[in-house]
């Protein structure tokens, strides 16, 4: 593709403003700081020049001389032009050091006087360029910045490549950018890489993710775009930042947004990238290609069914012009870039588009696709078309595609006459609820506002208010004025009042921080819904009531959960993140029933993924991650937490809560700095939203990360705030946040054992009443540290040993490992050898990397005699020594195989050789041999 010159980008972007390129920058910066060179490559508009300028701005500070050139296609035929850009301003500094033949040849090439050519003066010119660079490098570091290498005139490219291959150890770095194909297998950069210094790092600039495109649009001022629109921009641009910005600009300048089912407006600047090639197609071939662009999954069979008889030949012509991908992994027709399809469709007239959709409305095999094409081929209202679209939306909903259902529902509303049942507003509300299910909250809110602008029926208005409230998520303060309007519209209708009271329960919790009031509102909503025969709302209200009672330690919680799980059930509510299933999961995990909790949450997660319930999926991914974290599977928990965070970022749903939990997972199995950053983000978001519930959870995550990072004083400050908040909120059950042991431990570290004991005593009384065994074991671990601080060494060790054993039996692997670590730490204060081996083994089993680093630091500070150090052990081969060392840690054969990336059979064979070489018979003998060496 040829990019026009009217695209504008900032001249000198800062690296922190180049969206989504952090990893690329880190690798390139490391390469350049080590004296190496970098070749940035990727398709047109992907951001190569932006990245090049940002890196050059950084590296120029450490270079004495910066040489720059930027080629253009129109000037690529002019010989030595790039060479003149590079050396024209500096050659006078060093020309007197060049031999006369080199100086004469170079002067002729740079000035254009004479008839210097590579054919006539080739060797002299090559040596002259190399000599100039060597002379400049002798004065200080040199940085060569060359953009758009693909347009470099051949003479300059040859001279630059000759010099680059011979720079050797000179302080000359090259930072270049070159355009390559969009296809992953495109290897044009190899030619340019061969013309670069031998140590050059080739860095491909890949497309941006949807979240990164959203951040880019926001940064450039295209704010307030619905997430569904951002999704369309990402799809149409293919993640290309330049294309995405042009599409965003076109939307900002458009007086009306595209209607449902219509593509984005493609500006002339982007259409021009492909229209010149489209004009080379015959008229019939263009019409065939238009049909392909209108189809969701075009194939040759579909085109034939749509009446395009010469589809094969016409698609071959399009592929020859680069409009279609020539190497396909699937039998479908794939455009070379989504922009090709979008530009083709945008350029067609309304009549041509309708004709394409009319052909596809009978050719498509999928009933949903047929209905969509029928709608796009029809103008005005048509009850028959509206009914077909309503049926298609229901089918999409059943398939777990609520986003598709929302789009079809809006199309149905457009074609629905005002005097029919269901009417246009009813269809719009169904579409809004589908959009909520799909996580497209801004689209749902916009639809609801449209209904409120015209609806007069109380039922429609209340239903629309509920969409507005649900779309606000945790940020209820932003829509607080909605509740009086919703109550007024509900009147004394119990069914409508139940809906509003249910939302008022959430308001009481999130805005007022009053769990007792929230519980009362939920109970009221459940009663009203039961009177009205609205079982789905009754079930949601009972589920919420059960959640409040669980957190409050209320004795009615089990009975409320049972009420919420009685038949009849509503299939959708049963798997909703606010339904009875979620309440039961919370009860199980707080009650230490980890295996049953995992089974419950896994089933819920699978069901919401099947139904496309995005908000519930975010919640249940977190729930499964929490279950794995409690079980000590830190790696698995971290993967799930990161997946939930990606989904939350992508949809804008539950970002604060998900960042909070991902912080806990990072602190357990990932990166502590990342854990701190996520926890602070969660705190800021919760404070901004006025969400006291998640503020306490976020502060708990921050305090935990600070404790893991070794900042006990900061941990105490954060966790004291959690204690105050939860007392105010009425949270009684210590299994809710599980921060109490961390606060007590941090208090001991800063020399406040009295306050630590008070935290333990108050929490223990509640944990005993609610039978929270794991909480009690963690409190015993913390109390042992208090005892040790008082000098009660023996009782402290016994209490820690007991706590470790109980935590292990309950299945809390990470907490068990922390107890072993604390026990090893206590034993460093008494005479004799100290071993962190048990703690290291348990942390390694959990994949608790931050904790393992602490163990390594502690082991260095308190070394023991080296294991496996006898002369006999030294005779083992490297793999044999590794296997023997892991046996010492207590690893099983399967665990050893996983750690060393070998098979279990290989482990067994290796152990047989170890036994033979050491003259022993079993794993126990390896342990005994090493123990003898330590005591000897």
């Amino acid at each position: 593709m040829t990019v026009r010159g009217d695209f504008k980008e900032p001249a000198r972007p800062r690296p922190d403003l180049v969206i989504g390129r952090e990893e690329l920058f880190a690798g390139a910066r490391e390469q350049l700081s080590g004296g190496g060179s970098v070749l940035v490559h990727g398709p047109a508009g992907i951001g190569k020049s932006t990245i090049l300028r940002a890196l050059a701005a950084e590296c120029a500070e450490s270079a004495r001389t910066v040489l720059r050139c930027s080629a253009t296609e129109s000037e690529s035929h002019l010989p030595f032009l790039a060479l003149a850009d590079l050396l024209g301003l500096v050659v006078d500094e060093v020309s007197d050091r060049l031999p006369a033949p080199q100086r004469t040849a170079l002067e002729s090439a740079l000035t254009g006087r004479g008839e210097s050519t590579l054919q006539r003066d080739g060797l002299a010119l090559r040596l002259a360029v190399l000599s100039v660079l060597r002379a400049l490098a002798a004065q200080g570091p040199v940085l060569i910045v060359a953009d758009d290498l693909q347009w470099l005139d051949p003479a300059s490219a040859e001279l630059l490549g000759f010099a680059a291959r011979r720079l050797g150890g000179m302080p000359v770095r090259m930072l270049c950018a070159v355009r390559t194909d969009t296809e992953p297998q495109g290897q044009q950069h190899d030619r340019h890489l061969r013309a670069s210094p031998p140590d050059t790092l080739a860095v491909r600039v890949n497309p941006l993710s949807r979240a990164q495109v959203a951040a880019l649009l926001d940064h450039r001022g295209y704010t307030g775009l619905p997430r569904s629109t951002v999704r369309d921009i990402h799809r149409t641009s293919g993640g290309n930042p330049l294309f995405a910005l042009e599409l965003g600009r076109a939307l900002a300048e458009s007086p009306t947004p595209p209607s449902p089912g219509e593509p984005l407006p493609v500006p002339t600047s982007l259409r021009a990238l492909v229209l010149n090639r489209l004009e080379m197609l015959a008229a019939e071939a263009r019409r065939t290609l238009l049909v392909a662009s209108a189809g969701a999954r075009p194939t040759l069979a579909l085109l034939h069914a749509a009446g395009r008889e010469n589809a094969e030949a016409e698609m071959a012509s399009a592929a020859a012009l680069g409009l279609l991908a020539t190497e396909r992994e699937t039998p479908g027709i794939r455009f070379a870039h989504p922009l090709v399809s979008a530009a083709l469709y945008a350029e067609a007239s309304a009549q041509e588009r309708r004709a394409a959709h009319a052909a596809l409305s009978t050719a498509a095999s999928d009933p949903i696709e047929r209905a969509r094409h029928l709608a796009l081929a029809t103008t005005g209202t048509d009850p028959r078309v509206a009914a077909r679209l309503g049926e298609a939306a229901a089918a999409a909903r059943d398939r777990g595609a609520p986003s598709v259902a929302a789009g079809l529902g809006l199309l149905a509303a457009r074609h629905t006459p005002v005097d029919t049942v269901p009417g246009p507003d009813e269809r719009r509300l169904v579409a809004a609820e589908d959009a909520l299910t799909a996580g497209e909250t801004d689209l749902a809110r916009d639809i609801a506002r449209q209904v409120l602008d015209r609806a007069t029926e109380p039922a429609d208005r209340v239903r629309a208010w509920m969409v507005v409230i649900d779309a606000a998520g945790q940020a209820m303060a932003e829509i607080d004025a909605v509740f009086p309007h919703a109550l007024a519209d509900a009147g004394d209708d119990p069914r409508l009042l139940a809906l509003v009271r249910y939302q008022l329960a959430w308001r009481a919790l999130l805005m007022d921080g009053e769990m007792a009031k929230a519980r009362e509102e939920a109970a009221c909503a459940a009663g009203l819904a039961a009177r009205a025969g609205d079982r789905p709302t009754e079930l949601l209200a009972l589920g919420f009531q059960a959640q409040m009672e669980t957190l409050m330690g209320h004795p009615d919680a089990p009975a409320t959960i049972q009420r919420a799980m009685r038949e009849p059930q509503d299939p959708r509510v049963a798997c909703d993140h606010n339904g009875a299933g979620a309440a039961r999961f919370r009860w199980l995990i707080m009650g230490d029933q980890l295996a049953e909790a995992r089974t419950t949450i896994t089933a819920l997660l699978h069901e919401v993924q099947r139904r496309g319930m995005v908000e519930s999926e975010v919640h249940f991914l977190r729930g499964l991650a929490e279950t794995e974290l409690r079980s000590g599977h830190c790696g698995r928990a971290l993967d799930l937490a990161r997946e939930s965070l990606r989904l939350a970022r992508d949809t804008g749903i539950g970002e604060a809560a998900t960042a909070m939990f991902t912080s806990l997972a990072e602190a357990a199995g990932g990166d502590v700095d990342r854990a701190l950053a996520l926890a602070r983000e969660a705190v800021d978001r919760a404070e901004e939203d006025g969400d006291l519930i998640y503020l306490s959870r976020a502060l708990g995550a921050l305090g935990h990360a600070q404790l893991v990072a070794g900042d006990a004083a900061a941990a105490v400050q954060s966790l004291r705030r959690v204690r105050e908040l939860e007392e105010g909120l009425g949270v009684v059950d210590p299994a809710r946040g599980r921060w109490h042991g961390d606060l007590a431990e941090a208090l001991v570290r800063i020399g406040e054992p009295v306050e630590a004991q008070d935290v333990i005593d108050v929490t223990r009384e509640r944990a005993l009443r609610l039978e929270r065994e794991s909480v009690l074991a963690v409190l015993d671990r913390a109390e042992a540290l208090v005892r040790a601080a008082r000098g009660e060494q023996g009782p402290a060790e016994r209490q820690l040993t007991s706590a470790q054993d109980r935590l292990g039996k309950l299945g809390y692997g990470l907490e068990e490992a922390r107890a072993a670590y604390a026990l090893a730490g206590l034993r460093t204060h008494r005479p004799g050898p100290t071993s962190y081996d048990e703690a290291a083994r348990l942390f390694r089993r959990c994949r608790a990397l931050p904790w393992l680093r602490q163990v390594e630091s502690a082991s260095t500070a308190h070394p023991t005699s080296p294991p496996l150090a006898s002369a006999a052990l030294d005779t083992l081969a490297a793999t044999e020594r590794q296997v023997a060392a892991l046996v010492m840690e207590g690893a099983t054969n399967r665990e050893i195989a996983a750690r060393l990336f070998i098979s279990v059979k290989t482990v067994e064979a290796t152990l047989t050789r170890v036994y033979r070489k050491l003259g022993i018979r079993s794993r126990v003998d390896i342990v005994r041999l090493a123990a003898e060496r330590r005591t000897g």
Side-chain angles (χ1 to χ4, degrees):
M1 293 183 180
T2 301
V3 178
R4 291 164 56 92
D6 57 356
F7 293 127
K8 303 222 176 348
E9 294 190 34
R12 287 171 62 86
R14 299 204 321 265
D16 60 323
L17 296 183
V18 182
I19 305 296
R21 308 302 189 194
E22 295 80 6
E23 186 175 345
L24 183 154
F25 263 101
R29 188 180 292 116
E30 181 180 356
Q31 172 77 358
L32 290 164
S33 64
S37 297
V38 171
L39 176 68
V40 179
H41 66 101
I46 201 68
K48 302 179 300 299
S49 298
T50 304
I51 292 167
L52 193 76
R53 287 193 293 269
L55 286 170
E58 281 189 7
C59 296
E61 299 174 2
S62 61
R64 181 187 181 277
T65 305
V66 180
L67 309 176
R68 300 176 186 271
C69 72
S70 183
T72 62
E73 183 178 12
S74 61
E75 299 170 338
S76 60
H77 66 286
L78 299 175
F80 305 122
L81 185 61
L83 187 67
D85 288 342
L86 284 171
L87 303 183
L89 298 178
V90 298
V91 71
D92 289 344
E93 296 180 27
V94 296
S95 62
D96 58 342
R97 305 180 203 176
L98 302 183
Q102 294 181 22
R103 186 166 59 249
T104 301
L106 185 59
E107 180 181 347
S108 177
L110 295 180
T111 62
R113 294 191 295 270
E115 297 181 356
S116 180
T117 64
L118 273 180
Q119 185 175 2
R120 196 184 76 176
D121 300 320
L123 181 58
L125 271 175
R126 289 176 172 86
L127 294 175
V129 173
L130 183 59
S131 297
V132 169
L133 292 177
R134 282 175 172 165
L136 291 172
Q139 299 173 359
V142 176
L143 175 66
I144 299 173
V145 182
D147 198 3
D148 282 320
L149 285 185
Q150 73 277 1
W151 303 134
L152 222 63
D153 63 273
S156 296
E158 165 60 24
L159 292 170
L160 193 59
F162 176 85
R165 292 189 294 271
R166 289 161 177 80
L167 290 176
M170 289 185 291
V172 179
R173 295 170 293 173
M174 292 183 67
L175 176 57
C176 306
V178 63
R179 182 183 304 176
T180 52
D181 284 345
T182 57
E183 292 297 312
Q185 60 267 34
Q187 296 296 317
Q188 302 96 318
H189 73 282
D190 282 354
R191 173 167 55 89
H192 299 284
L193 197 58
R194 287 192 293 271
S196 303
D199 62 347
T200 298
L201 172 69
V203 179
R204 180 172 179 83
V205 187
N206 291 314
L208 298 178
S209 67
R210 190 195 305 181
Q212 290 164 348
V213 165
L216 176 66
L217 292 166
D218 285 343
H219 174 64
R220 297 298 178 87
Y222 304 124
T223 56
L225 294 173
R227 290 184 183 274
S228 55
T229 301
V230 173
R231 178 195 62 201
D232 291 342
I233 290 175
H234 177 256
R235 183 181 63 243
T236 304
S237 68
N240 185 299
L242 190 57
F243 299 169
L245 288 172
E246 287 294 298
L247 291 166
R249 181 169 63 82
L251 279 169
E253 295 174 353
S254 175
T256 56
S259 300
E262 291 184 353
L264 296 174
V266 180
T268 303
S269 57
L270 292 185
R271 294 189 202 184
L273 297 177
V274 294
L275 290 183
N276 59 338
R277 278 179 284 168
L278 282 171
E279 291 171 357
M280 299 171 67
L281 282 176
E284 285 301 312
R286 286 189 63 171
R287 278 192 277 274
T288 300
L289 206 58
L290 175 62
V291 174
S293 73
R297 294 174 296 278
T299 62
L300 288 173
L302 178 67
L303 295 178
H304 282 303
R308 310 311 300 172
E309 297 177 355
N310 299 317
E312 286 92 344
E314 291 163 346
M315 292 302 96
S317 299
L321 291 171
L323 296 167
L324 298 178
T326 54
E327 297 184 16
R328 298 189 296 271
E329 298 177 358
T330 62
I333 294 168
R334 186 161 61 89
F335 286 89
H337 190 280
L339 189 63
V340 176
S341 174
L344 173 66
Y345 192 90
E347 190 67 14
S349 67
Q351 183 177 356
E352 289 173 327
R353 293 182 195 176
R354 286 197 297 272
H357 287 296
L360 289 169
S361 68
T362 56
S365 59
D366 186 274
I368 293 176
E369 276 300 293
R370 288 200 300 271
R372 185 178 73 87
H373 289 302
L374 178 62
L376 295 174
T378 306
T379 58
T381 59
D382 186 323
R384 181 182 64 87
V385 173
R388 286 272 301 275
L389 286 164
E391 294 167 1
R397 199 176 302 121
D398 290 342
R399 291 185 190 178
S403 179
V404 175
L408 292 166
L410 289 175
L411 285 172
R414 186 201 300 179
H415 290 287
T416 300
V418 175
D419 56 351
T420 58
V421 178
D425 284 342
E426 165 70 13
R427 293 197 187 279
R428 288 188 184 95
L429 287 169
V430 173
E433 289 160 355
D434 284 329
L436 278 178
T437 300
E440 297 178 6
T441 53
D442 42 9
L443 175 61
R445 181 179 55 248
D446 291 345
I447 298 170
R449 293 289 187 188
Q450 292 173 18
V451 172
L452 287 167
D453 287 343
R454 63 170 69 92
T456 57
E457 287 294 322
D460 288 343
R461 294 187 62 79
V462 170
R463 193 170 167 188
W465 288 126
M466 296 304 99
V467 172
V468 171
I469 294 170
D470 281 334
Q474 309 295 121
M476 277 202 165
E478 297 177 3
I479 46 91
D480 196 33
V482 162
F483 289 98
H485 297 293
L487 280 170
D489 284 331
D492 57 2
D493 186 322
R495 183 176 64 85
L496 300 181
L497 276 174
L499 293 171
V500 182
R501 287 293 174 190
Y502 173 69
Q503 296 291 1
L504 284 170
W506 279 103
R507 183 193 179 283
L509 176 66
L510 297 178
M511 289 187 61
D512 301 333
E514 297 182 15
M515 285 193 175
K517 182 179 177 182
R519 174 181 175 270
E520 291 172 7
E521 289 283 10
C524 176
L528 287 165
R531 278 174 48 199
D534 182 356
R535 184 61 172 165
T537 302
E538 181 189 6
L539 291 170
L540 282 173
L542 286 171
F544 184 84
Q545 181 183 342
Q547 294 260 24
M548 293 304 96
E549 290 172 350
T550 298
L551 296 175
M552 294 167 63
H554 197 287
D556 289 350
T560 304
I561 292 174
Q562 288 299 319
R563 285 177 60 201
M565 299 196 73
R566 288 177 193 156
E567 296 295 338
Q569 287 289 317
D570 180 271
R572 188 188 180 286
V573 174
C575 62
D576 189 276
H577 60 282
N578 291 319
R584 181 171 179 271
F585 162 73
R586 181 57 47 195
W587 176 261
L588 289 169
I589 199 167
M590 291 174 68
D592 301 326
Q593 299 179 60
L594 297 181
E596 193 170 353
R598 181 184 290 106
T599 301
T600 299
I601 196 68
T602 300
L604 288 169
L605 177 60
H606 288 165
E607 182 61 16
V608 298
Q609 287 175 331
R610 186 186 71 80
R611 290 174 173 268
M613 298 169 65
V614 176
E615 184 172 5
S616 293
E617 182 180 358
V618 172
H619 279 265
F620 294 153
L621 279 170
R622 284 204 311 263
L624 183 55
E626 181 180 357
T627 308
E628 299 297 350
L629 188 58
R630 298 271 173 259
S631 303
H633 305 151
C634 299
R636 171 69 171 150
L638 184 59
D639 290 342
L640 288 164
R642 287 174 174 172
E643 182 182 350
S644 69
L645 186 60
R646 282 192 296 271
L647 186 57
R649 296 260 197 253
D650 197 28
T651 60
I653 293 174
E655 289 186 76
T658 310
M660 173 275 298
F661 184 79
T662 307
S663 170
L664 293 172
E666 291 281 357
D671 180 81
V672 178
D673 290 338
R674 174 76 172 150
L676 289 166
L678 286 168
R680 291 189 179 106
E681 175 194 336
V683 169
D684 291 343
R685 291 289 295 271
E687 287 180 330
E688 181 183 332
D689 292 341
D691 186 344
L692 299 177
I693 287 292
Y694 273 112
L695 177 58
S696 68
R697 294 295 304 272
L699 286 167
L702 178 58
H704 178 74
Q706 289 164 333
L707 182 67
V708 177
D711 191 349
V716 167
Q717 185 178 1
S718 298
L719 296 175
R720 278 174 175 163
R721 283 189 66 192
V722 179
R723 192 180 188 189
E724 293 170 5
L725 277 169
E726 290 205 351
E727 289 297 329
L729 289 166
V731 177
V732 173
D733 197 328
R736 182 248 186 181
R738 296 178 181 269
W739 48 267
H740 314 77
D742 284 346
L743 176 55
E745 182 176 336
L747 285 165
V748 171
R749 290 191 191 181
I750 66 169
E752 297 287 349
V754 175
E755 184 181 348
Q757 189 64 55
D758 177 65
V759 171
I760 292 166
D761 292 342
V762 171
T763 309
R764 179 179 281 137
E765 185 275 327
R766 294 173 177 175
L768 282 168
R769 178 169 61 83
L770 296 170
E771 299 180 347
R772 302 303 192 218
E773 290 300 323
S774 63
V775 174
L776 290 168
V778 168
L779 292 173
D780 280 354
R781 185 184 70 204
E783 189 173 51
L785 299 177
V786 175
R787 286 185 166 184
R790 293 172 179 164
E792 302 173 18
Q793 186 74 15
E797 290 191 21
R798 288 191 292 275
Q799 192 169 19
L800 270 176
T801 302
S802 172
Q804 178 183 342
D805 181 62
R806 286 154 57 204
L807 288 165
K809 289 178 179 177
L810 287 168
Y812 284 76
L814 182 58
E815 300 295 350
E816 176 191 6
R818 287 183 63 180
Y821 179 42
L823 185 59
L826 289 189
R827 288 171 176 168
T828 61
H829 300 293
R830 70 183 187 186
T834 300
S835 175
Y836 284 91
D837 288 353
E838 174 69 0
R841 181 183 70 82
L842 293 173
F843 281 134
R844 192 172 289 112
R845 184 182 67 184
C846 294
R847 286 183 58 191
L849 301 182
W851 290 100
L852 267 175
R853 295 185 192 103
Q854 290 193 31
V855 171
E856 290 168 1
S857 298
S859 299
T860 302
H862 303 281
T864 63
S865 301
L868 299 175
S870 70
L873 292 173
D874 290 340
T875 66
L876 298 179
T879 301
E880 293 167 350
R881 283 198 301 272
Q882 287 179 308
V883 170
L886 290 171
V887 169
M888 276 297 304
E889 294 175 8
T892 65
N893 286 3
R894 189 172 298 279
E895 290 169 338
I896 294 170
R899 286 280 308 283
L900 299 182
F901 302 101
I902 57 179
S903 68
V904 174
K905 287 188 176 181
T906 302
V907 174
E908 293 169 350
T910 303
L911 276 175
T912 300
R913 292 197 302 274
V914 169
Y915 299 157
R916 185 174 63 252
K917 288 184 179 181
L918 299 181
I920 58 179
R921 297 182 178 180
S922 69
R923 300 164 65 94
V924 175
D925 291 332
I926 296 179
V927 177
R928 177 184 53 74
L929 177 60
E932 289 172 355
R933 290 298 306 167
R934 284 199 294 270
T935 56

